[in-house]
Amino acid sequence: MKLQRKNRLRALSLGAVAVSGALALTACGSDDTGDKASDSSSSSSSAGTSSIKCDDAKGQLLSDGSSAQKNAIDAWVAEFSKACGVQINYKAGGSGAGVTSFNQGQLAFAGSDSALKPEEITASKQVCKGGQGVDLPMVGGPIAVGYNLEGVDSLVLDAPTLAKIFDGKIKNWNDEAIKKLNPDAKLPDLKIQAYHRSDESGTTDNFTKYLKAATPENWKYEGGKAWQAKGGQAAAQSSGVAAGVKQTNGAIGYFELSYVADGMKAVSIDTGASAPVAPSSDAASKAIADAKVVGTGQDLALELNYATKAEGAYPITLVTYEIVCDKGNKADTLPATKAFLNYIASEDGQGKLADLGYAPIPADIISKVRTTISGLS
């Protein structure tokens, strides 16, 4: 299988070579270490990647999960593989798929935009012999509400209006509620096409947590990774939702900010602060800075404040976790897993996020992540 690096940010050039090669889809429990890495020294000698410490990393890693972090993973994998010769196949099949596959012992690590639930932690103990799966917050960022509406270059929405749009109760773009928030916009008499995820998604979980927290009277659904409201258009992964919005005049959807591309613009959110807030790395960081660590032991699950009204804080944010065993990782994949996680949690790895439309994890939290990674066994 070839790993193709798809960079959706046309304005950015990562300048890294896409990783390719035959990737054997080995499970976490496999004893097959694959090809030897071309350089498994304690640090990389490649220009521009000297901060990456390969240690004993070798072979191949299979991972799956959050599609929201895919652009970050692609950039990280390109740099890490160039430095260490390790092949990493990240499938980006969605948070639900990632957690399921991890707990079936198929992955070295998974990515999820939602922390593990208690029953998922229990299930992980069957794979993590003597330990359990833990949540390592690694990628922050805004969930953009992207729209495609000819003639409308700027759009403000609030939580009640968004809830009614995605619940099918506001059906046309010239609805009075939208006009009130955008008095200067030329809103057409056009049906709204609201796109949501068809697969189980941490992005859906975080988006609906925002709606539940900010406008509970207008969003009565229980929430979770599976979309529950009726109607609308469904598409798989963030890439599918973004493609649907981009191709359809009158469409709106939710996805990670880096998927906003030509043909789409992002909604600014009226939070009740003095001015509407557009999605950005800085605005997301202001929201994530208020997060509390609610995990126990080595688990670093966070609790976000989705109903924030702080000035300049963008409320629809997510944190993507890398999920790994604290103890009981397989010997053949542990060195490469630790080396890769150490790199992406490093100052250099986190420093790449802002240019990709993501938000770095706050310093006090990422320092705890680094400590946890060093103790993985």
Side-chain angles (χ1 to χ4, degrees):
M1 179 181 294
K2 288 184 179 294
L3 176 63
Q4 297 178 338
R5 181 168 174 270
K6 299 178 180 178
N7 184 0
R8 297 172 181 83
L9 290 176
R10 295 182 178 180
L12 297 173
S13 173
L14 297 174
V17 178
V19 181
S20 63
L23 294 176
L25 299 186
T26 52
C28 249
S30 170
D31 291 331
D32 180 8
T33 59
D35 296 333
K36 298 289 184 181
S38 59
D39 178 8
S40 58
S41 60
S42 61
S43 62
S44 167
S45 60
S46 300
T49 58
S50 59
S51 65
I52 299 176
K53 296 185 181 300
C54 302
D55 295 324
D56 296 320
K58 60 184 178 181
Q60 305 160 347
L61 295 179
L62 178 63
S63 185
D64 193 5
S66 164
S67 61
Q69 70 167 353
K70 186 178 187 302
N71 293 331
I73 290 287
D74 283 351
W76 283 332
V77 165
E79 291 296 315
F80 182 78
S81 296
K82 181 171 61 177
C84 301
V86 175
Q87 296 173 328
I88 301 176
N89 180 16
Y90 185 77
K91 295 172 63 178
S95 297
V99 172
T100 297
S101 294
F102 179 80
N103 280 342
Q104 291 174 345
Q106 298 175 4
L107 309 176
F109 68 93
S112 177
D113 304 324
S114 299
L116 292 169
K117 297 177 181 178
E119 61 269 24
E120 292 170 338
I121 292 176
T122 298
S124 74
K125 294 178 181 180
Q126 299 300 313
V127 175
C128 306
K129 301 302 182 182
Q132 66 175 50
V134 292
D135 301 287
L136 304 180
M138 203 70 76
V139 180
I143 300 174
V145 180
Y147 72 97
N148 178 0
L149 193 58
E150 291 181 4
V152 179
D153 295 329
S154 177
L155 187 69
V156 174
L157 296 174
D158 58 13
T161 307
L162 275 172
K164 292 173 185 176
I165 287 173
F166 281 91
D167 201 20
K169 294 177 180 177
I170 291 180
K171 301 181 183 297
N172 272 48
W173 280 108
N174 62 348
D175 187 274
E176 287 300 321
I178 303 177
K179 290 169 66 176
K180 184 177 180 180
L181 290 164
N182 301 273
D184 297 326
K186 295 181 180 179
L187 297 166
D189 183 8
L190 179 67
K191 182 180 178 180
I192 296 173
Q193 301 284 351
Y195 278 79
H196 61 266
R197 291 282 289 271
S198 61
D199 54 319
E200 288 199 353
S201 161
T203 308
T204 293
D205 190 18
N206 284 276
F207 180 62
T208 55
K209 279 179 179 176
Y210 159 71
L211 295 176
K212 286 177 63 179
T215 182
E217 67 277 15
N218 291 301
W219 195 260
K220 303 292 187 179
Y221 301 99
E222 181 180 349
K225 294 176 184 176
W227 185 258
Q228 296 170 343
K230 305 300 181 183
Q233 308 294 324
Q237 284 86 54
S238 293
S239 57
V241 174
V245 174
K246 182 178 179 179
Q247 296 165 7
T248 308
N249 183 35
I252 189 169
Y254 59 91
F255 30 76
E256 187 272 324
L257 181 59
S258 68
Y259 287 90
V260 176
D262 293 344
M264 281 191 288
K265 294 180 172 62
V267 171
S268 292
I269 304 298
D270 183 345
T271 65
S274 62
V277 185
S280 70
S281 295
D282 287 345
S285 291
K286 289 180 180 179
I288 296 171
D290 286 337
K292 299 178 181 178
V293 176
V294 293
T296 58
Q298 298 302 308
D299 187 83
L300 297 173
L302 302 177
E303 182 178 83
L304 299 173
N305 179 12
Y306 297 96
T308 181
K309 292 180 173 60
E311 294 295 329
Y314 184 78
I316 319 176
T317 58
L318 62 75
V319 170
T320 300
Y321 302 92
E322 312 311 332
I323 296 170
V324 67
C325 296
D326 58 354
K327 298 178 182 178
N329 291 281
K330 297 302 178 181
D332 58 342
T333 58
L334 179 59
T337 299
K338 288 184 69 170
F340 181 65
L341 294 178
N342 272 320
Y343 163 56
I344 67 179
S346 70
E347 184 175 347
D348 182 33
Q350 289 288 299
K352 295 184 182 302
L353 292 176
D355 285 342
L356 296 170
Y358 297 98
I361 300 301
D364 59 333
I365 298 174
I366 202 66
S367 66
K368 296 177 182 178
V369 171
R370 293 168 187 154
T371 299
T372 297
I373 294 170
S374 67
L376 298 179
S377 63

